[in-house]
Amino acid sequence: MSDLREVLRGLEVFSGELPVFDTALLPADPQELFIDWLLAAVRDGVREPHAMTVSTIGADANPSARVLILKNVDSDGWQFAALADSRKGLELAARPQAALTFYWPALARQIRVRGSVAPAGAEDSAADFLARSPGARAEALIGRQSTPLADLASRDAAVRSAAERIERDPGLVAPGWTLFTLRADEVEFWQGDRERRHTRVEYRRTDAGWERGLLWP
Ligand SMILES: Cc1cc2nc3c(=O)[nH]c(=O)nc-3n(C[C@H](O)[C@H](O)[C@H](O)COP(=O)(O)O)c2cc1C
């Protein structure tokens, strides 16, 4: 165990050339800055910059988190998609609040978003489903996500059979596939710094729009 501690302590964080966060030039709307930072991560070649940790609240009131893909950001909010009867889908139906966490190590940037989550209508959810690759559609078509699986052969047989169904009927949409939109109430931008002079800016939604301020690192 002490070896592991040494290995972890020896790992570098916030290395390399990092961006400077100019807090004199903040937009009024945090979504604008979010898209700036996301596109900077894309340009920088960050792997899977659209992968984010989505935290929900379990039936036992404890947090529950997993990684999902960001589908879009528009004036309604941050979008992701999932099966309604998966663990996260059921948790969101019972308590429609979530937190998103993005981390782009090469840029030492973290973004946190908190807010309420609403499902899209059937048409938008179906359009999202049909835009997925055939393999991703087959996986979702199986359903039963987050329930116990007896063995891996059963998974493989179900994937094969779902892929055949999609081949026969390319317009098939998985029941329960849902596009969700998180409407942000808080967005925090965190820029890491080698000398640990990290810069944090928090936006909070108010009746009049957004207010923002710095946070101690
Ligand atoms: C990079 C990455 C992207 C993922 N994207 C999705 C996604 O967009 N939708 C989804 O339902 N699961 C996605 N998953 C799988 C989830 O992390 C999770 O295992 C699954 O959705 C079951 O979560 P739940 O038991 O909390 O419902 C992704 C996993 C990774 C590592």
Side-chain angles (χ1 to χ4, degrees), residues 14-20 44 105-108 191-194:
F14 319 134
S15 58
E17 189 77 16
L18 298 176
V20 174
D44 205 68
L107 298 165
Q191 174 64 65
D193 173 74
R194 200 169 172 77

Side-chain angles (χ1 to χ4, degrees), residues 70-82:
L70 175 72
K71 294 301 185 92
N72 194 20
V73 187
D74 66 15
S75 54
D76 292 332
W78 279 251
Q79 292 183 343
F80 54 91

Side-chain angles (χ1 to χ4, degrees), residues 176-196:
W177 185 258
T178 310
L179 187 64
F180 292 95
T181 303
L182 183 147
R183 181 179 188 268
D185 293 317
E186 292 169 26
V187 187
E188 185 203 315
F189 297 85
W190 187 98
Q191 174 64 65
D193 173 74
R194 200 169 172 77
E195 310 304 325
R196 303 300 194 271

Side-chain angles (χ1 to χ4, degrees), residues 48 51 64 66-69 71 81-83 86-89 132 145-146 177:
E48 296 168 14
S64 164
R66 80 289 293 154
V67 173
L68 300 183
I69 291 293
K71 294 301 185 92
L83 287 163
S86 64
R87 178 174 177 173
K88 66 189 119 22
R132 287 163 65 86
Q145 190 179 49
S146 317
W177 185 258

Side-chain angles (χ1 to χ4, degrees), residues 11-211:
L11 296 175
E12 270 206 278
V13 279
F14 319 134
S15 58
E17 189 77 16
L18 298 176
V20 174
F21 187 6
D22 186 350
T23 57
L25 291 173
L26 293 169
D29 189 327
Q31 209 169 77
E32 199 180 311
L33 187 55
F34 174 84
I35 292 170
D36 269 4
W37 278 29
L38 176 64
L39 293 179
V42 173
R43 278 195 305 275
D44 205 68
V46 172
R47 246 184 97 167
E48 296 168 14
H50 56 339
M52 59 188 178
T53 300
V54 178
S55 305
T56 49
I57 308 159
D60 56 4
N62 286 329
S64 164
R66 80 289 293 154
V67 173
L68 300 183
I69 291 293
L70 175 72
K71 294 301 185 92
N72 194 20
V73 187
D74 66 15
S75 54
D76 292 332
W78 279 251
Q79 292 183 343
F80 54 91
L83 287 163
D85 58 358
S86 64
R87 178 174 177 173
K88 66 189 119 22
L90 296 171
E91 289 177 353
L92 284 170
R95 302 181 79 163
Q97 278 95 33
L100 314 178
T101 312
F102 294 83
Y103 175 48
W104 300 309
L107 298 165
R109 282 178 166 174
Q110 173 182 237
I111 300 180
R112 303 162 70 183
V113 186
R114 291 179 80 214
S116 51
V117 178
E123 207 173 306
D124 287 342
S125 295
D128 177 80
F129 184 79
L130 292 171
R132 287 163 65 86
S133 70
R137 274 183 280 155
E139 189 209 20
L141 199 59
I142 300 170
R144 289 179 274 174
Q145 190 179 49
S146 317
T147 63
L149 167 70
D151 54 62
L152 296 180
S154 308
R155 174 202 62 189
D156 295 346
V159 169
R160 268 197 305 278
S161 135
E164 283 162 16
R165 285 179 65 200
I166 284 176
E167 223 176 283
R168 280 196 304 276
D169 182 0
L172 207 56
V173 174
W177 185 258
T178 310
L179 187 64
F180 292 95
T181 303
L182 183 147
R183 181 179 188 268
D185 293 317
E186 292 169 26
V187 187
E188 185 203 315
F189 297 85
W190 187 98
Q191 174 64 65
D193 173 74
R194 200 169 172 77
E195 310 304 325
R196 303 300 194 271
R197 286 176 304 185
H198 309 313
T199 306
R200 300 176 65 187
V201 172
E202 184 183 59
Y203 284 74
R204 284 180 176 275
R205 191 187 287 280
T206 67
D207 291 341
W210 291 95
E211 64 182 29

